[in-house]
Amino acid sequence: MGQFYQNHQHHGHFSAPHNQMQPGFPNQQYRGNQQGFRQNQFSPVQDRRFSGPGQQGFPIHGQRGRGHFSNLHWTSNGRGIGRGQFDQHPSMVNQTGPGPQQFAPQQTPTQQSNFEQVPEDSGDPDDNPFRPSKALQVEDESSTLNAQQVEATQNGVPAEGQKMLPPTGRPIPKGPQDKSGQKFSFAFKSKAPTTKPDLSQKMREPAPRRDAVSSGPGPSGTRTKTRETPSEHTLKRATGPERHAPRKEEKKVEKREEKREMRLTKAPLTLPPEFAASDSVYFRKPGNESVVGSGTYGKVFKAMHVYTKQLVALKKIRMEGERDGFPVTAVREIKLLQSLKHVNVVSLQEVMVEKNDCFMVFEYLSHDLTGLLNHPTFKLEHAHKKHLAKQLFEGLDYLHRRGVLHRDIKAANILVSREGQLKLADFGLARFFAKRRQLDYTNRVITIWYRSPELLLGETQYGPAVDIWSAACVLIEIFTKHAIFPGDGGEINQLDKIYAILGTPMKTEWPSLVDMAWYELLRPVERRHNVFAEKYKEKLTPAAFDLLSSMFQYDPAKRPSATEILEHPYFVSEEPAPRQAIELRDLEGDWHEFESKALRKENERRDKEAKKEIQRKEQQKEKEREKRRSSMTVSTERDAKRQQTARPG
Amino acid sequence: MADPFEVRMRFTSQLQHLNASVTSSQKAALYALKYRDMDEDLHSCILEQLERQNSMNTRANIMYFIEHLCDMAQKENHMEFVRMIQRDILRVVDAVAPGDGSGAANVKVVRRVLAALQSKSLLPLQTLSDISACLNERDRDLPPGPSPRPRRSTTNNQNSNNSNSNSATTNGTRVLDKRQIEQRIEEDRERHKRLRESIWAVEAEGDGEFERLWGEGSEVGEDDVLAGEEDRGERRRGRIG
């Protein structure tokens, strides 16, 4: 996959010779490409600016933008066989016309081999027509990088097309072999160890393998701004074919190559048309169809990697209204997630920049707790519930050990896979906390239904106990399907909900109660008694009730830690033992809060419409009746009027 | 020269519209210092606004403003404001956090501001401890449990908003309405945010920074071991290094 980007460069070069035949365009493209690699990576902003359309500039700019992206991904390349490799040939073939088959075999799938092959390529006589004239080449060589850049900026001069070569810094062709190989050497030279190629190579080499997956560019045949391969882009520009034309040809070439290239162990991928048309390497259904979540942070999309078929969740980082550039909260979230690795914590696979949008790429899980608990038919067994609860606290235990407060534990942020594996998600509010000292944090955290009383009373020096409270609320939801403290969204009402069940807090059970910042402000109106036992003892097993009672203590210092919770008899000894909910495999569809909400809304809408329809019909009837009546009255009125007018008259 | 009446009116209006932001306090303080020749007049405005039936939040904001005013007066070397505040501090405290329980939520505000003034040597330590003892008594005198605000019904949430929106009176004491409480919560959060902005600051000279870092360091704990193990795992997979 990663191969794609390498190929961009190749493409660029290949297209260059072609350009000579078609003066004007090609030059610019070539340059653009080069510059893209050199400059764009440092100045994404510039990319944006340049990407604007300009007659001449367009090709260059488009490429620049891409150059930037490809640079980001560049690192991953150079290993493995990728489809991109094949793409390369097609583009060549397209442009050069003659002898596509001959090229193909010579190019081995790995980057290294490409370099080595340069001399071999020279043997191909077909390439000659594309090679620039000697004079031009010489000129190219002599020109310095700076000069090239300057030239590059003046676009539109046809003659310059031939100057494109200089950046490669290739030796002057001498022998006939060289000449014949001209095209190839030309093409590959750019990668040869001149200043620029070095850079790109360097970038490629240290690339972590992991990125390779991500770096795969979108499938070919896309718009200018997308991550398509530059060669295709240039192709389109130069020849102006319809979008899909080049792709077809590519495929043919691929087949040919397969025959010839015996070293090729992996069969070339053929993509379903849907994927092939995707702008991104992560295919997602168009429009809102792929949205699986949305909030203040932005939107989350379900997507599939077009090559690995791996499902991912793309969290789009909202840039609207960000005056100071990339939001620091997103940076914090990414940094935090990168430091976490646990089976019960959602894993961030990569961060991807695409079309000026930044996405966090997560593993995809089909359900979340809200969606699952609201499922119309699916029922969790007690052993399943216990297993989910156990995973929840194992995840929390890990976070707290690692010094992370999640600060947004709620059913909708807890994902469940088709195998019944639970993962904590959405670290948008999470932060590292000081374990051995008490620091000051903001108390405007955690969705209010799940917010602990100390936070509601204005505490700013809190710790992991806030997550434990939230988790206890989730636990209640797992057991009863209903939120325990569903307030109206305000702090006052939320505290009332808590007081209504747990009673008003007392100084004896929570000594620091009076030190809470808003203790006076939010003093309870009247004393209430704890009715938790009354309400929940019946619904819970004895151990579960005991565990929850300890977690719902007002004094945060008295709440058990996640570690302690996992040692509680509920998990350790009480029957039934936790059992993974593998039955979820058979559950159809994806069940997230988002979908269940949508479903509910849809149902509500239907109900409403049905009611409206009924109302409308009734109204119509009523109107008709009225009409009948009024027509009668009108006639009588008229009569009356007539009488009236008649009278004076 | 500005019309004394107008200055008075403007300053009064500024006091009434103070909010949690530092700038609003500073603006009013600057205004007071600009017309320092009328300091006595302006000081009486402060007392007047505190003793009038302004909302609890306004009084709290004026209290925070007093800290700013004294601060800036000291910097500008116009100690008259500070002297007058010192003289009338008991009146101020009584007005901001009255003993009848209606200002209970302001007790913490008063404590905080007085402590801040004392730490800047703008208030004698003796005065502070006297007032503090008095406030403690006030705290203790409060009836336990029920607060001096209207009963908020938990059964009909929708109505609670309306029924509490105008400051009703229960048992003859003036009480807080829901909006005021929510406003205070937001304002406190805003102030807290400001406080946190300077949390990391250390003085340029001395060993403050070193001491802080030294204090922040800790013994190797289990989480360090955990982090180390994870790092090793990464290295083994060849991702790092």
Side-chain angles (χ1 to χ4, degrees):
Chain A
M1 218 125 322
Q3 294 287 344
F4 260 89
Y5 283 102
Q6 291 180 349
N7 297 331
H8 290 316
Q9 237 189 7
H10 291 296
H11 290 312
H13 300 300
F14 286 122
S15 60
H18 180 59
N19 295 337
Q20 289 177 337
M21 291 158 48
Q22 295 194 2
F25 263 132
N27 267 341
Q28 295 158 1
Q29 284 177 345
Y30 185 80
R31 289 273 161 71
N33 209 352
Q34 292 263 348
Q35 280 195 336
F37 290 121
R38 209 179 309 139
Q39 301 177 341
N40 281 328
Q41 75 196 85
F42 304 110
S43 57
V45 179
Q46 235 187 0
D47 290 344
R48 218 176 290 159
R49 207 194 321 145
F50 285 135
S51 66
Q55 267 292 355
Q56 303 167 332
F58 204 142
I60 295 183
H61 303 324
Q63 298 243 349
R64 275 187 187 175
R66 201 164 316 113
H68 170 55
F69 289 128
S70 46
N71 265 330
L72 288 178
H73 296 288
W74 203 270
T75 48
S76 54
N77 300 338
R79 278 176 236 169
I81 302 160
R83 181 177 171 243
Q85 285 277 340
F86 305 120
D87 283 354
Q88 173 179 357
H89 307 301
S91 63
M92 279 167 46
V93 173
N94 261 336
Q95 292 169 353
T96 57
Q101 295 159 345
Q102 286 160 347
F103 293 138
Q106 285 165 349
Q107 292 182 349
T108 56
T110 61
Q111 174 96 28
Q112 278 292 341
S113 58
N114 277 340
F115 288 91
E116 291 163 0
Q117 233 127 29
V118 174
E120 287 179 344
D121 294 334
S122 63
D124 195 352
D126 289 332
D127 287 337
N128 268 333
F130 300 100
R131 148 197 75 130
S133 74
K134 261 189 189 175
L136 284 171
Q137 287 165 358
V138 174
E139 199 185 323
D140 293 342
E141 234 198 351
S142 60
S143 62
T144 63
L145 274 181
N146 280 339
Q148 289 164 19
Q149 282 177 331
V150 172
E151 285 170 3
T153 55
Q154 329 160 328
N155 28 11
V157 186
E160 271 185 22
Q162 291 136 355
K163 287 182 187 174
M164 300 186 306
L165 300 170
T168 61
R170 106 205 100 77
I172 308 168
K174 287 167 195 167
Q177 277 188 351
D178 281 340
K179 274 184 193 173
S180 64
Q182 220 39 287
K183 194 235 163 173
F184 263 111
S185 61
F186 164 55
F188 289 116
K189 280 278 163 76
S190 65
K191 278 190 182 169
T194 57
T195 48
K196 262 181 271 166
D198 269 348
L199 187 68
S200 63
Q201 211 173 353
K202 263 181 212 162
M203 297 193 57
R204 215 173 300 139
E205 277 162 4
R209 237 262 153 81
R210 211 209 287 184
D211 292 356
V213 177
S214 69
S215 62
S220 47
T222 51
R223 250 156 271 126
T224 48
K225 275 196 179 181
T226 65
R227 307 201 286 163
E228 64 185 338
T229 56
S231 66
E232 278 179 8
H233 177 59
T234 50
L235 197 72
K236 271 184 254 160
R237 292 279 153 198
T239 60
E242 52 167 320
R243 224 164 251 181
H244 301 283
R247 220 185 303 139
K248 281 179 201 160
E249 278 183 79
E250 286 167 30
K251 274 180 190 160
K252 274 184 221 157
V253 178
E254 280 173 34
K255 275 181 196 161
R256 277 181 207 147
E257 192 182 305
E258 204 183 358
K259 280 178 203 158
R260 294 218 165 201
E261 182 59 76
M262 298 311 287
R263 260 187 289 170
L264 203 64
T265 51
K266 218 172 169 182
L269 286 162
T270 45
L271 292 180
E274 224 180 13
F275 285 1
S278 170
D279 285 355
S280 164
V281 73
Y282 291 112
F283 167 77
R284 57 180 210 247
K285 289 177 186 161
N288 277 341
E289 220 181 318
S290 57
V291 178
V292 288
S294 98
T296 48
Y297 53 82
K299 273 182 184 164
V300 179
F301 303 92
K302 178 186 181 179
M304 184 183 269
H305 195 285
V306 293
Y307 299 114
T308 64
K309 304 287 186 291
Q310 201 182 24
L311 280 172
V312 294
L314 301 177
K315 182 170 176 176
K316 187 170 166 183
I317 294 167
R318 244 174 75 107
M319 295 289 286
E320 293 99 56
E322 293 290 345
R323 272 179 301 168
D324 305 326
F326 197 79
V328 69
T329 49
V331 176
R332 187 195 258 188
E333 185 179 352
I334 291 167
K335 198 178 164 219
L336 230 138
L337 280 164
Q338 281 176 338
S339 79
L340 300 176
K341 187 179 179 307
H342 190 268
V343 281
N344 299 120
V345 174
V346 75
S347 86
L348 175 69
Q349 294 177 340
E350 61 166 329
V351 180
M352 165 179 88
V353 177
E354 194 173 275
K355 289 194 202 171
N356 268 341
D357 282 328
C358 188
F359 295 90
M360 294 163 73
V361 183
F362 293 99
E363 56 183 323
Y364 180 81
L365 282 85
S366 303
H367 318 292
D368 67 30
L369 262 184
T370 309
L372 217 51
L373 294 170
N374 288 329
H375 191 277
T377 54
F378 184 79
K379 295 271 180 295
L380 287 164
E381 289 167 32
H382 196 105
H384 294 158
K385 291 176 180 175
K386 189 175 284 189
H387 189 251
L388 289 175
K390 192 166 178 238
Q391 294 179 80
L392 163 62
F393 288 105
E394 274 164 355
L396 263 188
D397 184 39
Y398 172 77
L399 291 185
H400 293 166
R401 271 172 205 263
R402 291 296 311 270
V404 173
L405 297 178
H406 186 284
R407 303 202 296 182
D408 202 10
I409 295 285
K410 59 172 171 179
N413 282 342
I414 296 172
L415 306 179
V416 182
S417 77
R418 278 197 196 285
E419 288 77 44
Q421 194 174 53
L422 176 147
K423 286 178 197 275
L424 301 176
D426 195 350
F427 284 70
L429 282 175
R431 65 160 295 151
F432 289 109
F433 69 98
K435 279 187 160 187
R436 294 163 193 83
R437 287 169 310 132
Q438 190 53 68
L439 286 185
D440 227 26
Y441 314 119
T442 172
N443 60 42
R444 202 187 318 202
V445 289
I446 306 185
T447 306
I448 199 158
W449 287 6
Y450 301 83
R451 204 178 290 170
S452 63
E454 70 267 25
L455 285 175
L456 290 166
L457 286 171
E459 181 61 280
T460 55
Q461 308 193 333
Y462 53 85
V466 300
D467 282 343
I468 297 297
W469 179 279
S470 310
C473 297
V474 171
L475 219 50
I476 291 281
E477 259 175 87
I478 292 178
F479 292 134
T480 70
K481 290 195 173 190
H482 294 290
I484 179 170
F485 307 124
D488 69 355
E491 279 84 356
I492 301 167
N493 181 260
Q494 189 59 38
L495 273 174
D496 268 343
K497 289 281 179 201
I498 295 174
Y499 295 159
I501 290 174
L502 300 177
T504 45
M506 292 200 288
K507 221 179 150 179
T508 46
E509 58 176 347
W510 186 9
S512 54
L513 168 65
V514 289
D515 302 327
M516 294 295 121
W518 301 323
Y519 165 65
E520 296 291 350
L521 198 67
L522 295 168
R523 269 183 106 137
V525 186
E526 57 190 352
R527 196 163 272 174
R528 303 265 191 91
H529 294 287
N530 190 330
V531 294
F532 182 66
E534 267 169 59
K535 288 207 160 189
Y536 286 95
K537 199 154 195 174
E538 297 279 290
K539 299 178 183 170
L540 306 169
T541 66
F545 175 77
D546 182 69
L547 175 62
L548 279 162
S549 310
S550 71
M551 290 165 77
F552 278 131
Q553 288 187 86
Y554 275 114
D555 189 347
K558 289 181 182 159
R559 281 174 224 151
S561 71
T563 318
E564 287 160 358
I565 289 167
L566 287 168
E567 288 159 5
H568 190 274
Y570 173 69
F571 290 114
V572 177
S573 52
E574 196 186 54
E575 291 292 319
R579 185 158 46 82
Q580 190 157 345
I582 42 168
E583 287 83 347
L584 282 169
R585 252 187 332 214
D586 310 322
L587 185 63
E588 269 200 20
D590 297 355
W591 294 89
H592 299 110
E593 182 195 36
F594 187 79
E595 286 110 354
S596 56
K597 250 189 199 167
L599 187 74
R600 201 172 47 202
K601 270 184 196 162
E602 176 64 21
N603 285 342
E604 277 167 14
R605 195 183 58 80
R606 252 183 241 156
D607 284 355
K608 242 187 209 171
E609 269 181 15
K611 270 182 202 165
K612 262 187 195 168
E613 186 63 18
I614 294 169
Q615 270 185 344
R616 207 172 52 83
K617 276 180 184 166
E618 276 180 6
Q619 275 177 349
Q620 233 170 6
K621 276 182 197 166
E622 190 67 20
K623 264 183 196 168
E624 276 167 25
R625 248 177 267 151
E626 289 248 327
K627 255 185 201 170
R628 253 176 271 145
R629 230 179 284 150
S630 62
S631 62
M632 285 199 293
T633 53
V634 164
S635 59
T636 52
E637 266 174 29
R638 264 182 212 148
D639 291 345
K641 265 182 194 167
R642 234 173 266 150
Q643 285 169 359
Q644 277 180 350
T645 47
R647 227 184 278 163
Chain B
M1 202 60 231
D3 170 21
F5 180 72
E6 199 191 324
V7 171
R8 221 188 138 86
M9 289 300 288
R10 286 235 177 128
F11 186 60
T12 299
S13 156
Q14 280 186 343
L15 289 178
Q16 281 168 345
H17 294 101
L18 282 172
N19 58 37
S21 74
V22 177
T23 41
S24 83
S25 279
Q26 277 175 345
K27 219 173 118 192
L30 274 176
Y31 189 85
L33 282 167
K34 188 178 168 192
Y35 297 104
R36 64 184 74 177
D37 49 324
M38 290 178 237
D39 46 14
E40 230 167 313
D41 237 12
L42 296 176
H43 178 76
S44 74
C45 281
I46 296 174
L47 290 182
E48 186 186 294
Q49 287 308 308
L50 283 176
E51 285 167 359
R52 267 185 50 186
Q53 292 297 300
N54 269 319
S55 79
M56 160 198 75
N57 291 337
T58 311
R59 282 178 283 147
N61 285 335
I62 293 176
M63 192 71 203
Y64 282 115
F65 156 77
I66 286 175
E67 184 190 340
H68 283 280
L69 176 65
C70 291
D71 222 14
M72 289 172 78
Q74 192 185 28
K75 269 183 209 152
E76 299 260 320
N77 212 8
H78 186 80
M79 294 304 279
E80 199 49 39
F81 278 119
V82 181
R83 268 193 286 276
M84 284 187 291
I85 291 291
Q86 282 173 353
R87 185 190 65 202
D88 293 331
I89 192 71
L90 285 176
R91 259 178 91 186
V92 170
V93 171
D94 270 338
V96 176
D100 61 3
S102 66
N106 277 348
V107 170
K108 285 200 169 69
V109 176
V110 170
R111 284 226 176 89
R112 204 167 293 158
V113 171
L114 291 184
L117 288 177
Q118 203 279 317
S119 72
K120 290 167 189 160
S121 333
L122 294 170
L123 200 69
L125 188 60
Q126 185 56 40
T127 322
L128 177 71
S129 46
D130 286 354
I131 296 172
S132 188
C134 181
L135 286 175
N136 278 345
E137 243 160 66
R138 245 170 234 184
D139 253 0
R140 226 168 294 149
D141 287 348
L142 279 175
S147 73
R149 64 197 170 89
R151 197 196 125 86
R152 285 166 304 152
S153 151
T154 47
T155 44
N156 48 350
N157 309 317
Q158 293 86 357
N159 298 343
S160 65
N161 198 2
N162 305 333
S163 62
N164 294 332
S165 56
N166 30 10
S167 52
T169 55
T170 318
N171 305 331
T173 48
R174 209 161 158 282
V175 290
L176 315 173
D177 72 55
K178 190 180 164 182
R179 226 179 359 191
Q180 273 188 21
I181 294 172
E182 275 165 0
Q183 187 195 345
R184 167 61 75 85
I185 287 176
E186 283 310 308
E187 284 184 341
D188 277 357
R189 280 179 177 152
E190 181 64 29
R191 274 188 278 266
H192 182 244
K193 214 163 37 171
R194 299 269 157 201
L195 213 67
R196 275 158 45 80
E197 275 175 11
S198 51
I199 229 168
W200 49 270
V202 287
E203 63 269 37
E205 284 157 31
D207 291 338
E209 193 169 5
F210 167 78
E211 291 297 338
R212 173 176 288 223
L213 283 172
W214 188 251
E216 278 172 12
S218 63
E219 310 267 308
V220 174
E222 59 164 355
D223 49 339
D224 297 309
V225 176
L226 195 65
E229 270 169 13
E230 279 174 14
D231 280 353
R232 191 178 54 183
E234 293 275 305
R235 255 197 313 278
R236 286 216 174 130
R237 265 192 306 279
R239 280 185 188 164
I240 294 178

